[in-house]
Amino acid sequence: MASAVSALVAKCLTDKPMSMSILAGAVRALDFAAVFALGALTFWIYVPDPEADRALYFSVALLAAVVNTMYVHSSGGYTLPGILPYARTVRRVLAAWSAVFATLAVVVFFMKIGTDLSRVWLALWFLSGAAFLAFERAVLASVARRWIRMGRLARRAVIVGGGQAAADLILSLEAQPDNDIRICGVFDDRKDSRSPAVVAGYPRLGTIDELVEFGRIGKIDMLIVTLPLTAEARVLQLLKKLWVLPVDIRLSAHASKLKFRPRSYSYVGSVPLFDVVDKPLADWDRVMKRAFDLTFGLLALLALMPIMVGAAIAIKLDSRGPIFFRQKRYGFNNELIDVWKFRSMYVDQADADAARLVTRGDPRVTRVGRFIRRTSIDELPQLFNVIAGTLSLVGPRPHALSAKADNQLYEQVVDSYFARHRVKPGVTGWAQINGWRGETDTSDKIERRVECDLYYIENWSIAFDLYILFATPLRLLSSENAY
């Protein structure tokens, strides 16, 4: 349970800052579109010759757009240090733009198409492109600086471990020019002289156990552990508690005397950090996952609507009560969400918290309920959850709050249980198509299910989601453990 102070701070961090990766992707797209559009526009205005090879001009414009994006990317022009210092970033983009035309000159020479292209068009396109890119970077640098000051373009970090090591790290981070790290506080189990209440101007907000609750309330991007590498047992103990959070976990290498190759580190300015755990489904992965859910969720909803209508009619005719059943379940980052299902039990025997698992021949289940549970038709209303964004099509199944195995809550049976909530839960998942669906009356069953969930999280891809999605109907032909 978070302390009153840390809970108050966490509630101030519930808005989600913009991801630098998302911003960089948007700038890439703008650069690409602008270079191509300026080439095409210049062609339409300054090449009136009706016999001009339009396809050739547009192919050159497309090639330039691709090559320019590659050159700017390779020079670091889509990173925060490559965006904020205006003079430096303008030099980079103009150098890349000049290199694009040098590349075009080589291509034109070897393909012997120089006489087919207008020199006036090339000159005007070069000048208009250079002017646009310089103006774009001026606006971008100004907007990025303002967003950083406002906290909208910042990575929110928490320092794990206090004392002098934490103070040194904080001072080093704050000394970096154009630093996008926003430190939100310090957490440490120690409350003696080794870890004062204020470290380099930042308060100690609580213990490590309180940090887990803090991370679930606030939108935190990164945890930086300042313990030395020699404290291996303590570091492992911390990671076991903290890896259930959907955040990046970094280990400070600032004060370490052990030196590794530069590529072994990630850097904030010149401050080295060891990458221990990466946030799953971050940045563009999250965007692609959401696009996947909306596309296939809408298609599934349209395709399965006749079955859903038939199930609704059958439920209404079979027993009195509502058609739908709403249940509180754990969602992403342990947030409580409302999950929709077709009602499969008699109204007066419904179990909203799932404190008692459904067993074979359970008298609480209606006649229609047995069929729709065995075929998973009762889960189809969760497609509305997918469209609303509280569920994903594929992911760890959302478990009811009081679900038990061997008369123990799931989190009491499996130490890493809450790590499965680092991503949004799904209508179907890797555990389900591997046979771990339905009743979990033993600890072994929930352990195998969680193992599958964690494997899915660590190995996610769009292709993996497609495989699970299309394999699900085949697995439903086996009704084992589903009743």
Side-chain angles (χ1 to χ4, degrees):
M1 189 69 180
S3 67
V5 175
S6 63
L8 182 62
V9 174
K11 288 179 181 178
C12 297
L13 301 172
T14 53
D15 62 308
K16 183 63 179 173
M18 176 178 288
S19 164
M20 184 59 216
S21 295
I22 299 295
L23 177 61
V27 176
R28 282 190 186 92
L30 178 60
D31 282 354
F32 181 91
V35 167
F36 178 78
L38 286 170
L41 182 62
T42 309
F43 168 80
W44 285 114
I45 296 176
Y46 292 102
V47 186
D49 184 359
E51 296 184 1
D53 189 343
R54 184 180 306 173
L56 174 61
Y57 278 88
F58 283 11
S59 296
V60 171
L62 183 62
L63 174 63
V66 172
V67 174
N68 179 71
T69 305
M70 292 171 56
Y71 284 173
V72 175
H73 173 79
S74 64
S75 68
Y78 296 119
T79 63
L80 195 61
I83 288 174
L84 287 179
Y86 173 64
R88 190 193 313 164
T89 191
V90 168
R91 286 197 299 270
R92 283 179 176 175
V93 296
L94 292 184
W97 185 231
S98 300
V100 168
F101 272 73
T103 303
L104 289 180
V106 173
V107 172
V108 166
F109 174 79
F110 281 103
M111 294 187 67
K112 299 181 180 180
I113 57 175
T115 57
D116 298 326
L117 295 173
S118 166
R119 292 176 177 80
V120 175
W121 172 69
L122 287 169
L124 290 174
W125 183 27
F126 176 79
L127 293 174
S128 62
F132 173 83
L133 292 171
F135 174 75
E136 175 207 45
R137 290 297 165 144
V139 173
L140 182 60
S142 175
V143 170
R145 282 197 179 89
R146 185 166 66 250
W147 282 355
I148 288 176
R149 287 195 300 268
M150 296 169 59
R152 293 185 60 190
L153 186 64
R155 288 181 290 171
R156 293 171 175 170
V158 165
I159 305 298
V160 183
Q164 191 59 45
D168 291 343
L169 174 67
I170 291 171
L171 293 175
S172 297
L173 290 173
E174 293 185 335
Q176 302 306 307
D178 303 319
N179 177 21
D180 68 327
I181 295 290
R182 179 184 176 189
I183 299 172
C184 300
V186 178
F187 284 81
D188 194 353
D189 284 337
R190 299 171 299 178
K191 295 183 180 180
D192 51 28
S193 58
R194 296 175 299 169
S195 181
V198 177
V199 181
Y202 292 92
R204 187 183 67 235
L205 297 178
T207 64
I208 303 305
D209 288 333
E210 291 170 338
L211 170 56
V212 174
E213 186 64 23
F214 178 89
R216 286 176 177 155
I217 299 173
K219 298 294 189 293
I220 303 300
D221 298 299
M222 181 186 300
L223 305 180
I224 305 178
V225 180
T226 62
L227 297 180
L229 294 176
T230 53
E232 179 181 335
R234 180 59 176 145
V235 170
L236 291 175
Q237 184 183 18
L238 285 176
L239 294 179
K240 186 177 179 180
K241 291 182 178 181
L242 297 177
W243 82 297
V244 300
L245 295 173
V247 298
D248 293 325
I249 300 180
R250 303 291 181 254
L251 185 61
S252 173
H254 176 62
S256 175
K257 295 181 180 180
L258 293 173
K259 300 301 178 185
F260 299 90
R261 298 175 64 185
R263 67 180 59 185
S264 302
Y265 305 99
S266 61
Y267 290 88
V268 177
S270 61
V271 178
L273 302 170
F274 287 114
D275 297 346
V276 180
V277 176
D278 288 328
K279 181 194 305 183
L281 292 177
D283 303 326
W284 285 106
D285 286 346
R286 180 165 51 88
V287 174
M288 290 191 295
K289 177 78 163 172
R290 182 60 181 149
F292 177 92
D293 286 341
L294 287 174
T295 301
F296 285 92
L298 288 170
L299 290 175
L301 193 60
L302 291 173
L304 297 171
M305 187 58 70
I307 296 176
M308 295 175 68
V309 171
I313 294 172
I315 292 168
K316 201 65 180 175
L317 294 176
D318 183 53
S319 61
R320 64 176 182 84
I323 294 171
F324 296 105
F325 175 67
R326 187 175 65 179
Q327 190 176 58
K328 292 285 186 184
R329 296 197 177 189
Y330 287 120
F332 172 69
N333 203 21
N334 257 35
E335 296 174 353
L336 288 180
I337 59 174
D338 288 318
V339 171
W340 291 90
K341 302 178 69 174
F342 281 126
R343 180 177 59 84
S344 59
M345 292 185 177
Y346 294 103
V347 174
D348 58 347
Q349 299 183 59
D351 184 3
D353 294 330
R356 175 185 162 195
L357 292 175
V358 176
T359 57
R360 188 181 299 275
D362 199 312
R364 298 174 298 166
V365 180
T366 66
R367 290 175 300 172
V368 170
R370 290 191 181 91
F371 175 76
I372 63 175
R373 290 179 70 91
R374 188 167 60 250
T375 56
S376 291
I377 291 175
D378 64 323
E379 310 283 0
L380 292 184
Q382 290 168 29
L383 291 172
F384 294 112
N385 285 103
V386 173
I387 303 304
T390 53
L391 288 184
S392 181
L393 273 176
V394 181
R397 286 291 296 145
H399 292 157
L401 308 187
S402 300
K404 296 178 181 178
D406 280 342
N407 293 317
Q408 297 182 81
L409 295 173
Y410 288 165
E411 60 266 30
Q412 296 171 341
V413 176
V414 185
D415 286 339
S416 55
Y417 175 77
F418 285 121
R420 64 195 299 279
H421 296 155
R422 290 182 295 156
V423 299
K424 198 179 294 183
V427 177
T428 185
W430 185 236
Q432 281 60 49
I433 70 166
N434 279 281
W436 302 109
R437 62 187 287 257
E439 185 181 11
T440 51
D441 53 337
T442 67
S443 58
D444 180 67
K445 289 181 180 179
I446 188 60
E447 287 171 359
R448 299 291 83 76
R449 182 180 290 189
V450 171
E451 285 177 4
C452 288
D453 292 338
L454 297 182
Y455 177 86
Y456 167 80
I457 293 172
E458 296 300 326
N459 295 277
W460 174 86
S461 68
I462 289 294
F464 197 12
D465 272 5
L466 281 170
Y467 174 78
I468 294 172
L469 193 63
F470 289 109
T472 296
L474 299 177
R475 293 300 303 172
L476 292 180
L477 296 177
S478 171
S479 59
E480 183 182 359
N481 296 329
Y483 25 82

